[in-house]
Amino acid sequence: MWAPTGWLNQLGAADFAGGTVVHINAGVAGLVCALVLGKRLGYGTDNMSPYNLAFAVIGASLLWVGWFGFNAGSATAAGGRAGMAMAVTQIATAAAALAWTFAEWIAKGKPSVLGAISGAVAGLVAITRRRASCCPAGPDHRHRRRRGVLLAATALKHMLGYDDSLDAFGVHGVGGIIGALLTGVLAYGR
């Protein structure tokens, strides 16, 4: 992807700051680890909610703020490209957090804070690859990405029976793959 002679680079694939390389790789590695290590003791019977939800919210908030430096900073200049990267990062992340919250509300009868921060992280992941080539007012296919990530992080892992406590595959792997595929739909320039 990054090497000038790499086969994806030769095909014309664009990866603004490693969204494809980092997220898809991390997601697939997380799935492989979950399959190799197996389920945690007590999985499915014990309460395995986060130890401290406030810490999880603080962590997701720090991640969201730090992501601005990662996304906008990848433009290597304070210009229009960095500004667009910052705008679409904020909009996609907020929209994903809201969409996950509403989807969880519809599916489970009530939203959760953990679901909202999972949605926010999914939004960060899915927009990373193409954040400087997408326009916030462009075609709205973001709902497809969020729905795919939500299903992968909830239904898919239960259906296939693997224990991915951090939803590395559901959020990073699937979010990265869907984000990469939708680049051609949402991008307005290279």
Side-chain angles (χ1 to χ4, degrees):
M1 175 59 80
W2 289 338
T5 57
W7 68 275
L8 286 174
N9 195 324
Q10 294 293 317
L11 291 174
D15 191 4
F16 188 63
T20 300
V21 175
V22 174
H23 294 296
I24 294 173
N25 184 33
V28 172
L31 176 63
V32 169
C33 285
L35 293 173
V36 169
L37 293 175
K39 296 177 184 174
R40 294 170 285 172
L41 293 176
Y43 179 76
T45 57
D46 296 347
N47 179 9
M48 296 200 172
S49 55
Y51 162 73
N52 189 324
L53 194 55
F55 286 168
V57 171
I58 291 168
S61 300
L62 291 171
L63 186 67
W64 191 336
V65 170
W67 219 279
F68 287 129
F70 173 69
N71 282 357
S74 294
T76 65
R81 191 169 166 121
M84 184 61 73
M86 187 126 173
V88 297
T89 298
Q90 178 69 5
I91 293 167
T93 306
L98 288 172
W100 194 299
T101 300
F102 288 124
E104 195 173 46
W105 202 344
I106 291 167
K108 296 182 179 179
K110 64 179 182 173
S112 72
V113 173
L114 187 60
I117 61 177
S118 295
V121 172
L124 290 168
V125 167
I127 199 63
T128 294
R129 183 176 189 281
R130 55 183 207 287
R131 69 202 159 276
S133 63
C134 290
C135 179
D140 190 9
H141 298 283
R142 292 181 296 270
H143 64 284
R144 292 188 185 122
R145 177 181 66 240
R146 291 187 295 264
R147 184 176 23 179
V149 172
L150 176 62
L151 290 173
T154 57
L156 183 65
K157 72 177 177 181
H158 295 297
M159 184 175 65
L160 297 179
Y162 63 89
D163 178 15
D164 184 3
S165 63
L166 298 176
D167 292 323
F169 179 69
V171 173
H172 291 275
V174 174
I177 291 167
I178 293 172
L181 294 175
L182 284 178
T183 297
V185 176
L186 297 174
Y188 67 85
R190 187 163 192 204

